[in-house]
């Protein structure tokens, strides 16, 4: 892997376009340009607008790359995860104390998804969660929903942690393959 740093994204883009201008159309060779989601359309215009088409060149975000290389049965989308949390909250509603009146309200599942995603990103498992006396009921409710969420999403790729894990597996598998080139561009932090 080769890392190049440029003073700004325009310089990086110019360099990338220079490299990709020499890419020949060959179905056995894959060149994938990975850019942040907000830049995908602009980079598609830049790359494909040069008359080369997209035969050997692809522009993708990490989300698109994830979707392209994962089996649908292994993946739970964000909206699917939110619906799952809504179902879990309904199923365990008898055991809830702090959220017993709010679990069915609009936005609850979305907020719970965000909370669980942050906990997973920080590698905090439900078993690690401890409650202080003032927040005991709230933390216990989050822990209950989180435990059930982990149980029901086991062996699935979901939320940012799951996507990162799946993409790491994919890139590890690429070490053995020839003729695949990936360019990651315009990320300040990775």
């Amino acid at each position: 892997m080769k890392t190049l740093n440029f003073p700004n994204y325009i310089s990086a883009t110019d360099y990338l376009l220079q490299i990709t201008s020499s890419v020949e159309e060959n179905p056995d060779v894959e060149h994938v340009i990975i850019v942040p989601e907000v830049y995908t359309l602009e980079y598609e215009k830049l790359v494909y607008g040069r008359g080369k088409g997209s035969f050997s060149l692809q522009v993708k975000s990490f989300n698109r790359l994830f979707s392209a290389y994962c089996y649908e049965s292994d993946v739970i989308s964000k909206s699917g995860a939110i619906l799952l949390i809504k179902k879990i909250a309904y199923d365990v509603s008898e055991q809830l104390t702090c959220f017993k009146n709010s679990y069915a309200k609009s936005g609850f599942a979305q907020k719970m998804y965000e909370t669980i995603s942050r906990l997973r990103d920080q590698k905090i498992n439900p078993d690690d969660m401890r409650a202080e006396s003032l927040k005991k009921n709230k933390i216990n409710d989050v822990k209950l929903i989180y435990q059930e969420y982990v149980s029901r999403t086991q062996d699935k790729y979901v939320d940012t942690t799951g996507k990162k894990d799946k993409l790491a597996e994919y890139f590890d598998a690429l070490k053995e393959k020839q003729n695949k080139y990936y360019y990651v561009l315009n990320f300040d932090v990775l």
Side-chain angles (χ1 to χ4, degrees):
M1 180 166 83
K2 187 166 128 180
T3 302
L4 301 174
N5 293 314
F6 295 89
N8 54 51
Y9 74 88
I10 294 171
S11 301
T13 300
D14 290 342
Y15 185 77
L16 177 69
L17 292 175
Q18 180 184 349
I19 291 172
T20 57
S21 67
S22 63
V23 170
E24 295 180 20
E25 294 185 5
N26 182 347
D28 298 326
V29 179
E30 185 178 85
H31 294 266
V32 179
I33 301 166
I34 303 171
V35 296
E37 194 79 41
V38 296
Y39 296 133
T40 53
L41 185 58
E42 190 61 36
Y43 275 87
E44 285 174 346
K45 288 179 189 175
L46 281 171
V47 171
Y48 303 149
R50 302 178 86 191
K52 302 234 7 141
S54 60
F55 199 65
S56 294
L57 281 169
Q58 298 175 45
V59 176
K60 293 189 179 289
S61 64
F62 277 118
N63 283 335
R64 284 186 185 175
L65 189 66
F66 176 75
S67 299
Y69 295 108
C70 291
Y71 299 110
E72 287 298 317
S73 61
D74 292 343
V75 178
I76 298 175
S77 67
K78 179 179 178 179
S79 57
I82 291 170
L83 287 173
L84 177 62
I85 289 172
K86 188 177 273 197
K87 170 81 168 101
I88 289 169
Y90 177 78
D91 291 348
V92 299
S93 62
E94 295 294 320
Q95 299 169 41
L96 297 175
T97 53
C98 183
F99 299 133
K100 67 181 173 188
N101 296 321
S102 60
Y103 76 90
K105 291 187 178 175
S106 175
F108 174 81
Q110 171 74 33
K111 293 281 188 202
M112 188 59 65
Y113 170 80
E114 291 168 4
T115 301
I116 290 172
S117 292
R118 281 194 302 272
L119 291 169
R120 290 184 73 150
D121 282 344
Q122 296 171 11
K123 302 201 183 316
I124 298 172
N125 296 317
D127 296 335
D128 299 335
M129 296 175 67
R130 302 283 180 251
E132 299 171 10
S133 59
L134 294 175
K135 299 178 182 176
K136 184 177 182 181
N137 291 340
K138 187 174 189 176
I139 291 178
N140 285 337
D141 284 0
V142 171
K143 183 177 179 177
L144 178 66
I145 293 170
Y146 186 15
Q147 283 174 321
E148 191 62 29
Y149 178 79
V150 168
S151 171
R152 293 188 193 188
T153 60
Q154 195 169 17
D155 301 325
K156 303 269 187 208
Y157 296 101
V158 67
D159 61 45
T160 54
T161 304
K163 286 182 179 182
K164 285 188 277 188
D165 292 346
K166 182 61 179 178
L167 287 174
E169 287 176 21
Y170 173 71
F171 283 114
D172 279 344
L174 279 180
K175 290 178 186 172
E176 308 301 317
K177 297 189 177 181
Q178 300 294 318
N179 300 327
K180 290 193 183 264
Y181 301 92
Y182 287 83
Y183 310 93
V184 180
L185 191 66
N186 289 347
F187 285 88
D188 291 332
V189 178
L190 262 182

